[in-house]
Amino acid sequence: MIGTLFNRMTASLTKTRDSLIGGIRRMVSARGTISADALEDIEYALLAADVGTGTTKRLLENITKRIAADRYESIDEFMELFKDEVARVLRSTASSVDEKGKVGIANAPRPYIILVVGVNGSGKTTTIGKLAYRYKSEGLSVLLGAADTFRAGANEQLERWARRAGAEMVRQERGADPGSVAFDAVQSARSRGVDVVLIDTAGRLHTSVNLMEELRKIRRVISKVMPDAPHEVLLVLDAATGQNGLQQARQFSEAAGVTGVVLTKLDGTAKGGIVLAVGHELGIPVRYVGVGEDPEDLQPFVPQTFVDALFAQT
Amino acid sequence: MFQTLTEKLEAVFKKLRGQGKITEENVAESLREVRRVLLDADVNLHVAREFIDKVQKRAVGREVLASITPGQQIIKIIHDELVSLLGVSKTDIVEAHEPPTVVLVVGLQGSGKTTFSAKLARFLKGRGRNPLLVAADVYRPAAVDQLVTLGKQLDLPVYSEAGEDAVGIAARSVDFARRHVRDTVIIDTAGRMHVDDAMMNEIAEIKAKTRPHEILFVADAMTGQDAVNTARAFHDRLDFDGVVLTKMDGDSRGGAALSIRAVVHKPIKFIGVGEKLDALEAFHPDRIASRILGMGDIVGLVEKAQEKIDQEKAQRLGEKLRSAQFTLTDFLDQLREVRNMGPLDQVLGMIPGMNRIPAGAQVNEGALTRTEAIIQSMTIEERKRPSIINGSRRKRIAAGSGTTVQEVNRLLKQFEDMQKMMKKLSKGGLKRAMSRL
């Protein structure tokens, strides 16, 4: 199980590794010493992966310091040091992944309420569908709350996923108050004894004051039914997102108290380097990565695995 | 907190002035700052590098050395260069000699194709055309439902079929349009990854079967470095005619616009600025250039102001500002003018530096209403000479406006600060302060 998971992660992240690290490795081994040029090339690789100028600068400063203090003998050793620097950023964000690579909720309260937020088109509904599928396959009962009452066809889209995953669904007509849908979802999950509730919200740009206020309200309404809920607030980030991703994470955290990130669309050529910046600046961990359209293409994000896959020998 | 590029460059050049001479190396230092700004705006690394080389060639020597404020001069060069790279404003959709005109809408998942298709249909309908919307996204659950709903909203027909034959649906929709006298067919296709061969083959086949007159590539304005890869891949395969940038109503700096332009040289035709179906605008290179440089959309602000502000009043206000005779009555007038311009967050977003203010910190409309109430609870005399407002007057004003003394104090303090600033500006500094924007 762990083996297959690791293999899948490795395979899906090969592209990321190839472009991010492959370049570094080639150039480092060719030169043998870490010159200013080499550092510049590492900087280039990080920036090309959307890590951003701030976090890149920090990583380079740290590695320069460490080289000065620790010294390295071989290229491999240098790569280990650098790898460790990157891992440190990801590790500093505590993750709730257990030893089986599952984002465990075994000891969590029931129903376990997950609120899913993000900008338009980041992949919220698809992520919810995949999550529902995942929890169902773990033998848990799942209820979907269709609180995206704005976008045309949102209810129908979620309904298809609910049917596919075998989950229940609570919905109202289009244009209804999303807070009221969230309320209904949590309420009926309680009375029906459901294990996991996934609440979909309409995509919204983090710059829209009113829509962010609406999100606050949804959160408040949920905690009225269940004071400690939502137990998880997932921000869905498109891997192709540039530096704006940091601002998204900041604003959504401020409004909805984001507890984790889902990095979607990692199966393209985008690197998703922005999660390094998000982890570094805001300390928000990545929970899952989306690597395809199939239900099983949502995988738990394991920092160590991510970094190992990132730096694995080809 | 937020420094504009101009300020940063001025700081770089300030150092230089002390040293006396501006060398190529010194220019390079300022260009490193420019590079960082471009990267922060998500301009692709290669594109940024090429761009800076170009600017450097133009900047070193003549222009910079001759200039009194080299920072501003460089900004001007950069801005001009950006504008010329970004191309021209162009929103025409070709009309086929023999209708129907076929428009194919393509892009990655979640870029906003369906919403754009509906917006385009509305736009063309407004220009007297009779569009048919085609739901060729057979993969995303309920994508067809979404388009059908939008079509209903626009009172426009939507062609759809059950089943997964996207190529067939697209091809048959053109016949359908011919039979039903629709002069423009807008085909909304499924989002696809540029690395997905099967899906890219499908879109190529749709192109071959429908022979579109216009292919529009829809891209998310928040895209980072990867924008060049996707644009190039779609372009290699489809040779698209134009680009649509969506979600421009956010605070992304939109460097993707430059990246895409640089690799495919096709015009950016529209920008999407909201979820409503009328939130579609023409692309203005100069505004995007300012935005990429973090300078705010001054042109847009000025246009909006010209549209809404009473010119005569504005002129009178300008005079008062210059002579530092600005009173609370003027302040109230100004407040109302600003509110007339539309939702505050939109207006503020156009002001340089303000676009970075976190949403939570934005001025809210409620605060404005209270400010208005406070000023209205003052006597004419008090509005002219706020210095006479003593403790008991403050209590009366607070009670009259339904606010607290603290709030009244805060307003008076703000106004005082403003007056101080005006005085400073009127002492010959106005021009300089304005040009610093």
Side-chain angles (χ1 to χ4, degrees):
Chain A
M1 175 70 196
I2 308 171
T4 22
L5 178 70
F6 184 82
N7 287 344
R8 282 198 74 132
M9 283 286 287
T10 308
S12 64
L13 291 167
T14 303
K15 279 189 295 286
T16 311
R17 184 200 56 222
D18 280 354
S19 43
L20 178 65
I21 302 311
I24 298 173
R25 177 175 300 282
R26 273 194 298 283
M27 128 218 119
V28 167
S29 47
R31 287 192 189 119
T33 52
I34 308 306
S35 57
D37 275 358
L39 277 179
E40 202 169 290
D41 288 348
I42 294 176
E43 178 193 30
Y44 188 91
L46 291 172
L47 291 175
D50 286 316
V51 172
T53 55
T55 307
T56 296
K57 195 169 163 227
R58 169 78 69 99
L59 282 170
L60 290 180
E61 276 167 8
N62 290 354
I63 194 66
T64 313
K65 255 185 244 158
R66 276 183 80 166
I67 292 174
D70 298 349
R71 306 200 168 266
Y72 64 96
E73 281 185 348
S74 64
I75 299 310
D76 285 344
E77 207 179 292
F78 173 79
M79 287 314 296
E80 282 308 310
L81 286 176
F82 188 67
K83 175 175 149 181
D84 193 54
E85 273 311 314
V86 179
R88 203 145 74 167
V89 173
L90 292 168
R91 265 201 309 266
S92 65
T93 64
S95 181
S96 63
V97 174
D98 64 20
E99 67 283 358
K100 284 189 188 147
K102 281 185 183 170
V103 180
I105 58 162
N107 302 316
R110 295 294 148 89
Y112 189 75
I113 315 290
I114 302 174
L115 181 65
V116 181
V117 302
V119 299
N120 316 65
S122 55
K124 283 175 299 302
T125 308
T126 306
T127 296
I128 284 181
K130 291 177 183 174
L131 274 174
Y133 191 86
R134 169 172 278 274
Y135 282 121
K136 280 299 278 189
S137 68
E138 286 174 18
L140 298 167
S141 56
V142 178
L143 184 143
L144 307 185
D148 177 358
T149 56
F150 179 82
R151 183 165 59 90
N155 271 343
E156 290 77 5
Q157 187 181 354
L158 197 67
E159 200 153 45
R160 306 266 163 103
W161 274 109
R163 230 177 292 147
R164 203 161 154 185
E168 296 174 64
M169 177 161 149
V170 166
R171 59 178 279 184
Q172 289 179 14
E173 77 283 10
R174 188 168 169 233
D177 173 33
S180 144
V181 179
F183 184 90
D184 282 358
V186 179
Q187 194 81 297
S188 64
R190 283 190 108 179
S191 55
R192 296 184 214 173
V194 170
D195 294 316
V196 181
V197 180
L198 292 157
I199 296 174
D200 191 16
T201 59
R204 65 200 72 220
L205 291 185
H206 52 289
T207 46
S208 163
V209 176
N210 293 340
L211 290 179
M212 294 308 274
E213 193 48 53
E214 179 189 278
L215 211 52
R216 281 193 190 90
K217 187 187 161 194
I218 293 175
R219 212 197 134 92
R220 273 199 307 274
V221 166
I222 293 172
S223 57
K224 248 177 216 161
V225 192
M226 250 184 112
D228 58 338
H231 307 98
E232 174 104 284
V233 179
L234 292 176
L235 171 70
V236 180
L237 262 185
D238 185 327
T241 310
Q243 298 313 298
N244 195 245
L246 190 55
Q247 200 56 20
Q248 288 174 30
R250 206 171 267 142
Q251 298 301 336
F252 275 102
S253 293
E254 209 262 315
V258 173
T259 55
V261 165
V262 180
L263 190 62
T264 59
K265 307 183 203 173
L266 209 52
D267 48 329
T269 46
K271 325 291 190 299
I274 191 66
V275 296
L276 274 173
V278 170
H280 174 231
E281 297 264 331
L282 305 169
I284 302 173
V286 184
R287 294 268 199 254
Y288 297 95
V289 292
V291 292
E293 308 239 344
D294 291 325
E296 60 274 14
D297 287 336
L298 183 78
Q299 295 160 15
F301 176 86
V302 187
Q304 201 50 55
T305 315
F306 182 83
V307 177
D308 284 345
L310 217 61
F311 292 93
Q313 294 280 349
T314 9
Chain B
M1 186 184 79
F2 177 74
Q3 268 186 309
T4 65
L5 179 60
T6 318
E7 281 167 27
K8 279 182 194 149
L9 289 188
E10 287 295 350
V12 171
F13 282 100
K14 213 180 225 164
K15 273 190 274 169
L16 301 187
R17 275 189 211 126
Q19 296 167 5
K21 233 183 180 178
I22 298 170
T23 64
E24 258 183 60
E25 227 170 81
N26 298 145
V27 173
E29 189 188 343
S30 75
L31 287 178
R32 264 197 295 276
E33 194 56 51
V34 175
R35 172 174 176 265
R36 205 187 55 72
V37 168
L38 292 178
L39 292 180
D40 286 347
D42 290 324
V43 173
N44 178 268
L45 269 168
H46 295 280
V47 177
R49 194 172 272 182
E50 269 168 40
F51 177 77
I52 280 177
D53 284 349
K54 214 184 268 177
V55 171
Q56 187 155 23
K57 276 192 199 109
R58 279 190 59 188
V60 170
R62 184 174 49 108
E63 284 126 322
V64 171
L65 292 174
S67 164
I68 310 159
T69 57
Q72 284 176 13
Q73 197 62 36
I74 281 209
I75 287 278
K76 173 97 174 72
I77 295 170
I78 291 165
H79 193 268
D80 291 353
E81 196 67 36
L82 266 180
V83 170
S84 82
L85 253 179
L86 285 167
V88 288
S89 182
K90 193 170 184 286
T91 58
D92 53 316
I93 295 289
V94 288
E95 258 176 275
H97 292 298
E98 201 182 305
T101 304
V102 178
V103 181
L104 189 60
V105 180
V106 303
L108 296 174
Q109 288 96 338
S111 52
K113 286 174 298 303
T114 306
T115 304
F116 167 71
S117 296
K119 286 178 180 178
L120 180 64
R122 184 188 172 277
F123 175 83
L124 292 175
K125 189 184 176 194
R127 301 197 156 193
R129 286 163 80 163
N130 298 305
L132 169 74
L133 281 163
V134 180
D137 179 357
V138 293
Y139 305 105
R140 180 162 60 95
V144 176
D145 299 333
Q146 184 182 354
L147 198 65
V148 167
T149 311
L150 293 173
K152 231 177 258 162
Q153 249 166 273
L154 293 170
D155 197 19
L156 283 175
V158 176
Y159 183 83
S160 67
E161 289 178 21
E164 287 211 346
D165 177 19
V167 179
I169 293 173
R172 284 186 289 275
S173 74
V174 180
D175 293 332
F176 179 90
R178 214 167 274 135
R179 284 197 311 275
H180 291 80
V181 215
R182 308 306 297 183
D183 57 20
T184 310
V185 180
I186 301 171
I187 305 175
D188 175 30
T189 63
R192 63 201 74 223
M193 276 288 183
H194 53 296
V195 291
D196 186 334
D197 285 335
M199 289 297 282
M200 289 308 276
N201 286 338
E202 183 201 85
I203 195 76
E205 211 181 317
I206 291 179
K207 178 186 174 180
K209 287 273 163 61
T210 58
R211 316 253 311 264
H213 304 87
E214 181 116 10
I215 302 179
L216 295 174
F217 174 66
V218 179
D220 187 327
M222 297 183 283
T223 314
Q225 296 289 320
D226 200 44
V228 291
N229 298 330
T230 52
R232 197 180 281 130
F234 271 91
H235 195 254
D236 285 352
R237 207 62 199 262
L238 300 171
D239 188 23
F240 57 70
D241 304 284
V243 179
V244 178
L245 272 186
T246 58
K247 307 178 204 174
M248 283 293 283
D249 46 330
D251 60 356
S252 71
R253 303 253 299 275
L258 187 65
S259 303
I260 294 173
R261 269 292 299 187
V263 293
V264 301
H265 306 291
K266 288 292 160 71
I268 298 173
K269 293 202 160 181
F270 295 97
I271 59 172
V273 292
E275 299 191 71
K276 303 248 164 65
L277 294 180
D278 60 353
L280 187 69
E281 288 180 3
F283 172 75
H284 293 288
D286 45 343
R287 296 187 193 174
I288 308 296
S290 299
R291 184 162 166 167
I292 290 175
L293 295 176
M295 294 159 70
D297 182 4
I298 283 286
V299 185
L301 181 69
V302 170
E303 267 184 16
K304 206 157 191 178
Q306 276 172 344
E307 214 176 280
K308 297 283 161 87
I309 285 182
D310 185 331
Q311 285 303 312
E312 232 172 274
K313 257 192 197 168
Q315 205 166 0
R316 255 183 287 139
L317 184 70
E319 274 158 30
K320 278 182 177 164
L321 282 177
R322 269 190 293 281
S323 57
Q325 281 172 345
F326 187 68
T327 67
L328 275 163
T329 312
D330 301 319
F331 186 59
L332 186 62
D333 277 351
Q334 209 191 15
L335 212 64
R336 287 174 176 161
E337 295 281 10
V338 171
R339 293 188 76 170
N340 270 341
M341 284 166 66
L344 256 188
D345 47 347
Q346 235 182 63
V347 175
L348 284 179
M350 292 191 227
I351 298 175
M354 293 297 236
N355 50 356
R356 279 285 188 90
I357 288 182
Q362 271 169 355
V363 181
N364 62 48
E365 305 267 345
L368 278 191
T369 313
R370 297 165 84 81
T371 305
E372 241 186 287
I374 293 173
I375 298 177
Q376 277 172 325
S377 300
M378 295 176 184
T379 66
I380 305 288
E381 192 56 26
E382 284 167 347
R383 289 183 212 182
K384 260 190 215 151
R385 292 196 300 139
S387 56
I388 62 167
I389 304 177
N390 56 21
S392 80
R393 282 179 194 254
R394 281 171 208 230
K395 255 188 232 159
R396 191 205 77 239
I397 292 166
S401 58
T403 58
T404 61
V405 175
Q406 282 84 355
E407 278 176 279
V408 176
N409 286 341
R410 207 176 308 135
L411 173 66
L412 289 173
K413 175 83 176 66
Q414 267 171 6
F415 181 70
E416 200 183 306
D417 289 345
M418 223 168 123
Q419 265 186 328
K420 266 188 213 150
M421 199 181 77
M422 303 272 176
K423 272 195 191 120
K424 240 187 246 165
L425 291 182
S426 62
K427 279 182 199 149
L430 185 64
K431 218 175 143 198
R432 211 171 49 218
M434 290 301 276
S435 65
R436 206 171 285 155
L437 292 178

